[in-house]
């Protein structure tokens, strides 16, 4: 995928022009796609607090496009994306922080685990630049948090679907991201397994307090998993707020 890169202004990227509430993700963007037969525009404005926010809507509503803009895989045509006092993107100021510097965790639906590496090696991959002692400590802690310590020496092909989901989450969170993006990573799992994984994620986040965006088109997942919901339709937010109120 081609990523449009702008002139990067590191001093501007580290300091927001307006103070945001600590931990809140602020997104106000427009992203347009033009095609010969059809066009699509994502036009959203939202302030997302710490906790799990479900991004809900039908296929083609713009859910994955929103996550890709936040992660830096796509550059919006207009707007600004910031968390706490760090600006990731600001079209007016020509700020577009590279993906690798945004410190955002992203778990895709296909998980993208390395098949030739063990569970432990998959998790350590994102922190390979740390010293050995710190790698060991952080890996041990995240393995315990997601109850996969006994799987450390197995390859992805040797564990269950639910276990692979836990490994993918652990790999994203061991880097201590400021934000976690989940693009339907639990869609193939049964309800009981899904609920247990989300509860472990809630426990982890009680100590870290970061915004978590969880994409789904399942109403059942909205009601069961999220603290808040952001409803998208045709690229626009049609409702947002506490889950029970919005649904």
């Amino acid at each position: 995928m081609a990523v449009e890169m702008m002139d990067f202004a590191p001093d501007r990227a580290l300091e927001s022009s307006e103070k945001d509430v600590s931990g809140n993700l602020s997104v106000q963007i427009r992203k347009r796609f033009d095609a010969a037969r059809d066009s699509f525009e994502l036009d959203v404005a939202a302030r997302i607090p710490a906790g799990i926010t479900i991004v809900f809507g039908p296929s083609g509503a713009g859910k994955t496009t929103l996550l890709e803009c936040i992660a830096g895989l796509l550059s919006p045509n207009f707007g600004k994306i910031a968390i706490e006092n760090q600006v990731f993107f600001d079209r007016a100021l020509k700020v577009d922080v590279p993906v690798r510097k945004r410190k955002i965790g992203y778990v895709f639906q296909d998980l993208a685990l390395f098949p030739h590496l063990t569970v432990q090696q998959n998790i350590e991959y994102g922190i390979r630049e740390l010293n050995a002692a710190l790698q060991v400590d952080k890996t041990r802690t995240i393995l315990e948090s997601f109850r996969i310590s006994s799987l450390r020496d197995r390859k992805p092909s040797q564990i269950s679907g639910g276990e692979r989901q836990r490994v993918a989450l652990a790999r994203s969170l061991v880097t201590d991201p400021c934000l976690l993006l989940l693009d339907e990573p639990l869609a193939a799992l049964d309800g009981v397994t899904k609920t247990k994984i989300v509860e472990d994620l809630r426990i982890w986040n009680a100590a870290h307090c970061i915004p978590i965006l969880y994409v789904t088109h399942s109403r059942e997942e909205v009601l069961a998993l999220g603290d808040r919901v952001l409803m998208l339709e045709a690229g626009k937010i049609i409702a947002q707020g506490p889950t029970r109120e919005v649904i």
Side-chain angles (χ1 to χ4, degrees):
M1 177 184 297
V3 180
E4 176 190 356
M5 300 304 296
M6 301 164 60
D7 292 335
F8 177 48
D11 54 332
R12 291 174 180 166
L14 295 175
E15 188 171 345
S16 173
S17 59
E18 57 180 9
K19 291 292 183 181
D20 198 1
V21 177
S22 180
N24 280 5
L25 170 67
S26 177
V27 180
Q28 188 167 3
I29 57 170
R30 274 188 288 158
K31 175 63 179 178
R32 184 171 181 82
F33 298 90
D34 290 307
R37 293 187 177 181
D38 200 5
S39 63
F40 174 81
E41 183 175 79
L42 178 73
D43 186 354
V44 300
R47 191 174 294 265
I48 300 163
I52 299 177
T53 296
I54 300 290
V55 183
F56 175 63
S59 297
K63 304 184 297 296
T64 296
T65 299
L66 173 61
L67 264 58
E68 290 180 347
C69 286
I70 294 170
L73 298 174
L74 292 174
S75 290
N77 299 105
F78 303 98
K80 179 179 178 180
I81 302 168
I83 187 166
E84 298 187 38
N85 65 340
Q86 183 175 4
V87 177
F88 293 140
F89 178 87
D90 191 321
R91 174 63 69 175
L93 296 178
K94 294 186 178 181
V95 172
D96 193 356
V97 177
V99 175
R100 66 186 182 280
K101 293 186 177 182
R102 294 196 183 197
K103 205 174 181 186
I104 293 175
Y106 199 150
V107 180
F108 300 90
Q109 190 169 0
D110 64 4
L111 305 183
L113 295 176
F114 298 115
H116 62 293
L117 300 181
T118 65
V119 165
Q120 180 166 328
Q121 289 168 339
N122 263 282
I123 292 172
E124 289 176 342
Y125 185 82
I127 55 173
R128 59 194 183 281
E129 295 179 359
L130 300 180
N131 67 64
L134 191 53
Q135 281 188 46
V136 169
D137 182 61
K138 290 175 73 67
T139 301
R140 182 183 66 250
T141 299
I142 203 73
L143 284 167
E144 291 172 354
S145 294
F146 285 91
R147 311 182 198 201
I148 50 177
S149 296
S150 62
L151 309 176
R152 66 173 71 238
D153 295 323
R154 298 187 192 178
K155 302 284 183 63
S157 62
Q158 298 172 320
I159 60 180
S160 70
E163 290 166 343
R164 286 194 291 271
Q165 307 286 349
R166 289 177 179 274
V167 175
L169 281 171
R171 185 179 65 178
S172 290
L173 296 175
V174 75
T175 61
D176 292 323
C178 62
L179 169 67
L180 179 63
L181 306 176
L182 304 173
D183 196 353
E184 300 193 78
L186 309 181
L189 303 181
D190 63 85
V192 174
T193 301
K194 194 178 300 184
T195 299
K196 288 180 179 178
I197 291 174
V198 171
E199 283 308 307
D200 285 340
L201 179 59
R202 288 186 195 280
I203 292 170
W204 179 91
N205 203 37
H208 296 81
C209 298
I210 66 171
I212 299 171
L213 272 67
Y214 183 110
V215 163
T216 184
H217 59 265
S218 165
R219 185 177 293 270
E220 290 73 22
E221 287 192 3
V222 175
L223 291 168
L225 306 179
D227 306 315
R228 296 173 56 83
V229 62
L230 187 155
M231 296 184 70
L232 278 177
E233 186 174 297
K236 305 287 193 298
I237 295 175
I238 60 172
Q240 60 180 311
T243 301
R244 296 290 170 180
E245 291 180 17
V246 171
I247 295 299

